[in-house]
C-alpha cells in the first residue's frame, strides 16, 4: 500500500520526535503527541524519544497510545546526548524532528540513513527575552545560531520567528526558508463529543458565567492583569467567574491578590488539570482569555492555548500581538496590551447580549490539518523521501 501526497507516490516514512524535558512545560514537545496520531493514521511510523516522567507517560497514553515511545531517564548532558543519538541511530528513521534547539537534542544526521531528514523546531526566541540574564541570553543566541548553521531544515511556530530565523539563515549564507507551522488542537482530546464530561465540576460552576484561562501563572503571562480586570467586571456582572487552569511561580501571590480584592467567589484556581478534564472546563466557558504583551517574547511565541480554545467556538479575549494578530482579523474581543480597563471592557462584552460568535474555522487548526500541510511540504521540498 502506498500513500499519495500531493499527487506523488510515496512509501511510508518513519518519523522520530526527539524531545527533552517535561512535555507540559516545553511547548514544542506538544507537537510530538499532537502529530503522532494523525501521522500514524496516514500510514507512517512514529517514534518519540521522551524524558521518563509520570506526566509524559500519561500524556502519551491519552493522545497516542500506539506510538513507539522510548522513555529516557534524565541524566547529565553527555549521558542524555549519548542515549538519544544512540537510539536514533538504532531505529534509523527517515526523519528526525528535534523539538527545540538545545545541546541535549543535537542531532545533525542519521547514521546508516544518508537520505534522512533532520528538522529543528523553534517555538520561542529565548535570546531576545530581556528579563533573562545577559550571559544566559548570549548562550541561547549561540545555540540558536549553531542550530541554524548545521540543521538541515527548520520549522517555526510564529511569523515573527519565521522572519527572524530567515534573516539569521541568510547571514550564515544559507538559502533555507523556515517552514511556518503553528500549533493546533487535538480533536480527540478537546472536543466534548470525544471526551467524558465531569458532572461534579460542571455543577460547581453552573450558576456562573465563566471566563476560562489555561496556562502558566506568571506576571509575564498576565495572571495579575486578569484578576484585576475581573475585579472591575464583577461590579457590573455579579455572576462572572474567572477559572484559572495551570500552575506557576506567581500562584501564591495571585491567591493573595484575590483575597485582598475580595474575589474568592469570582476567581477559582483549578490547578493543574489533566488532559482528560480539559474538555470539561472548556465547555463551561462563556469566553476564553489569552493575555499578551507588546514584547518580543509574545510576538515570537505561539500560545498553544489559542488553539485549544478554538473548538468551542466561544469569544477569545486577547491582543493583536503575534499569532493572535494572524488568527483574529475582527477586533471584537481584542484589548490594548497593558490596559486593564480595555481588558475589562473586552471581558464585559463577551458577557453581554451582543456577544459575537468566534469568527475562525476550528477545522483549519487541527493536528490532522497541520500534518497534511507538513506532508505536502515534505513532498515538495524533499521528494526523495516521497518517491518510491
Amino acid at each position: 500500500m502506498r500513500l499519495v501526497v500531493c499527487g506523488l507516490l510515496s512509501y511510508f516514512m518513519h518519523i522520530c520526535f526527539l524531545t527533552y524535558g517535561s512535555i507540559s512545560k516545553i511547548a514544542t514537545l506538544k507537537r510530538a503527541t499532537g502529530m503522532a496520531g494523525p501521522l500514524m493514521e496516514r500510514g507512517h511510523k512514529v517514534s518519540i524519544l521522551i524524558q521518563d516522567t509520570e506526566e509524559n507517560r500519561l500524556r502519551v497514553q491519552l493522545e497516542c497510545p500506539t506510538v513507539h515511545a522510548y522513555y529516557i531517564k534524565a541524566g547529565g548532558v553527555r549521558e542524555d546526548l549519548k542515549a538519544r543519538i544512540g537510539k536514533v541511530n538504532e531505529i534509523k528513521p527517515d526523519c528526525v524532528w528535534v523539538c527545540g534547539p538545545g545541546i541535549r537534542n543535537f542531532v545533525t544526521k542519521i547514521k546508516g540513513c544518508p537520505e534522512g531528514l533532520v528538522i529543528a523546531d523553534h517555538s520561542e526566541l529565548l535570546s531576545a527575552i530581556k528579563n533573562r540574564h545577559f550571559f544566559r541570553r548570549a548562550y541561547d543566541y549561540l545555540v540558536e545560531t549553531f542550530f541554524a548553521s548545521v540543521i538541515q531544515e527548520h520549522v517555526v511556530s510564529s511569523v515573527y520567528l519565521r522572519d527572524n530565523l530567515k534573516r539569521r539563515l541568510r547571514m550564515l549564507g544559507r538559502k533555507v526558508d523556515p517552514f511556518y507551522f503553528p500549533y493546533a488542537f487535538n480533536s480527540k482530546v478537546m472536543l466534548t463529543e470525544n471526551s467524558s464530561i465531569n458532572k461534579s465540576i460542571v455543577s460547581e460552576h453552573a450558576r456562573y458565567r465563566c471566563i476560562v484561562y489555561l496556562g502558566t501563572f506568571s506576571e509575564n503571562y498576565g495572571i495579575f492583569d486578569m484578576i484585576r480586570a475581573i475585579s472591575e467586571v464583577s461590579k457590573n456582572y455579579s455572576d462572572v467567574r474567572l477559572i484559572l487552569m495551570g500552575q506557576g511561580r506567581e500562584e501564591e501571590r495571585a491567591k493573595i491578590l484575590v483575597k485582598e480584592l475580595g474575589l474568592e467567589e469570582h476567581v477559582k484556581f483549578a490547578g493543574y488539570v489533566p488532559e482528560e478534564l480539559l474538555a470539561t472546563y472548556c465547555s463551561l466557558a462563556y469566553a476564553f482569555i489569552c493575555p499578551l504583551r507588546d514584547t518580543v517574547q509574545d510576538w515570537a511565541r505561539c500560545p498553544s492555548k489559542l488553539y485549544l480554545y478554538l473548538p468551542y467556538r466561544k469569544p477569545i479575549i486577547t491582543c493583536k500581538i503575534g499569532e493572535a494578530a494572524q488568527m483574529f482579523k475582527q477586533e471584537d474581543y481584542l484589548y490594548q496590551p497593558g490596559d486593564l480597563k480595555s481588558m475589562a471592557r473586552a471581558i464585559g462584552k463577551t458577557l453581554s447580549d451582543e456577544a459575537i460568535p468566534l469568527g475562525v474555522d476550528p477545522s483549519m487548526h487541527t493536528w490532522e490539518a497541520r500534518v497534511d500541510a507538513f506532508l505536502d511540504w515534505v513532498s515538495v521540498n524533499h521528494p526523495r523521501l516521497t518517491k518510491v
Side-chain angles (χ1 to χ4, degrees):
M1 184 176 181
R2 293 172 176 174
L3 176 70
V4 178
V5 181
C6 276
L8 296 175
L9 291 176
S10 79
Y11 70 86
F12 295 127
M13 292 185 292
H14 182 176
I15 300 172
C16 175
F17 291 93
L18 184 62
T19 74
Y20 176 73
S22 170
I23 208 161
S24 69
K25 295 179 181 177
I26 302 178
T28 49
L29 302 190
K30 296 176 182 177
R31 290 204 205 273
T33 53
M35 293 178 65
L39 281 167
M40 289 186 291
E41 289 169 2
R42 286 150 180 77
H44 300 283
K45 183 178 180 180
V46 180
S47 298
I48 298 179
L49 273 61
I50 190 169
Q51 184 175 326
D52 192 2
T53 69
E54 181 181 358
E55 187 178 327
N56 287 352
R57 286 180 177 269
L58 289 173
R59 186 184 186 97
V60 169
Q61 183 60 35
L62 178 67
E63 294 205 8
C64 48
T66 60
V67 75
H68 295 271
Y70 300 92
Y71 296 98
I72 298 176
K73 297 291 184 183
V77 174
R78 181 177 297 179
E79 292 80 6
D80 268 349
L81 185 58
K82 183 178 179 181
R84 292 164 197 280
I85 291 178
K87 183 56 69 174
V88 167
N89 291 335
E90 176 187 325
I91 64 179
K92 293 180 173 56
D94 300 292
C95 173
V96 174
W97 187 299
V98 181
C99 294
I103 299 303
R104 296 174 193 261
N105 282 350
F106 182 56
V107 173
T108 58
K109 59 183 178 180
I110 306 163
K111 187 176 180 180
C113 189
E115 296 297 311
L117 174 64
V118 179
I119 301 172
D121 192 345
H122 305 259
S123 66
E124 56 187 337
L125 195 62
L126 294 176
S127 63
I129 301 176
K130 293 184 178 180
N131 62 359
R132 291 167 62 86
H133 194 281
F134 171 79
F135 292 106
R136 183 68 205 185
R137 290 174 60 196
Y139 170 80
D140 290 329
Y141 182 85
L142 290 174
V143 171
E144 291 163 1
T145 304
F146 184 55
F147 264 66
S149 66
V150 298
I151 299 296
Q152 189 175 359
E153 290 282 9
H154 298 270
V155 164
V156 293
S157 58
S158 72
V159 170
Y160 187 99
L161 283 174
R162 181 195 63 192
D163 296 343
N164 179 278
L165 184 56
K166 186 174 181 177
R167 288 194 298 271
R168 199 177 300 196
L169 287 165
R170 295 298 182 268
M171 289 172 58
L172 294 167
R174 300 194 63 194
K175 295 183 179 180
V176 177
D177 286 330
F179 177 42
Y180 175 55
F181 197 69
Y183 291 125
F185 69 90
N186 190 323
S187 57
K188 293 180 175 60
V189 173
M190 296 307 298
L191 292 177
T192 52
E193 57 262 33
N194 295 330
S195 305
S196 58
I197 300 299
N198 187 301
K199 294 181 180 179
S200 64
I201 294 175
V202 172
S203 176
E204 178 186 355
H205 302 284
R207 68 185 186 89
Y208 296 94
R209 286 187 278 184
C210 298
I211 308 297
V212 173
Y213 170 81
L214 170 64
T216 304
F217 299 163
S218 72
E219 186 169 7
N220 284 349
Y221 283 18
I223 183 66
F224 303 117
D225 294 343
M226 289 186 288
I227 292 169
R228 292 190 175 99
I230 285 294
S231 179
E232 288 298 312
V233 175
S234 65
K235 295 174 183 177
N236 296 318
Y237 297 93
S238 60
D239 60 346
V240 68
R241 171 170 280 184
L242 174 65
I243 298 178
L244 299 167
M245 293 187 283
Q247 296 173 323
R249 61 181 180 272
E250 306 287 6
E251 183 170 350
E252 290 307 312
R253 282 183 59 200
K255 289 179 177 178
I256 291 172
L257 178 61
V258 167
K259 190 172 182 179
E260 288 176 350
L261 296 175
L263 295 173
E264 289 89 341
E265 276 297 304
H266 298 289
V267 179
K268 291 297 177 181
F269 292 84
Y272 168 74
V273 175
E275 295 260 322
E276 61 268 21
L277 289 179
L278 285 178
T280 295
Y281 278 99
C282 289
S283 67
L284 297 169
Y286 260 66
F288 297 95
I289 188 166
C290 177
L292 294 171
R293 298 187 174 191
D294 192 6
T295 62
V296 170
Q297 181 180 14
D298 279 0
W299 277 97
R301 70 187 179 95
C302 180
S304 58
K305 64 176 69 65
L306 283 177
Y307 302 90
L308 299 181
Y309 297 159
L310 287 179
Y312 300 91
R313 300 179 182 271
K314 298 296 180 66
I316 298 176
I317 303 152
T318 188
C319 298
K320 206 169 185 178
I321 300 290
E323 294 315 285
Q326 298 296 319
M327 188 184 304
F328 302 113
K329 302 306 180 185
Q330 58 190 54
E331 301 190 12
D332 300 297
Y333 305 110
L334 300 180
Y335 70 92
Q336 293 300 313
D339 187 336
L340 290 179
K341 290 185 177 180
S342 177
M343 178 188 279
R345 282 195 298 270
I347 294 172
K349 190 170 182 179
T350 68
L351 303 176
S352 73
D353 294 335
E354 300 176 0
I356 303 169
L358 181 69
V360 177
D361 182 1
S363 68
M364 301 295 292
H365 301 282
T366 64
W367 281 120
E368 288 81 2
R370 295 286 190 261
V371 162
D372 288 339
F374 167 66
L375 294 175
D376 286 349
W377 175 79
V378 169
S379 72
V380 171
N381 293 277
H382 298 277
R384 67 181 184 276
L385 290 180
T386 59
K387 289 181 179 178
V388 176

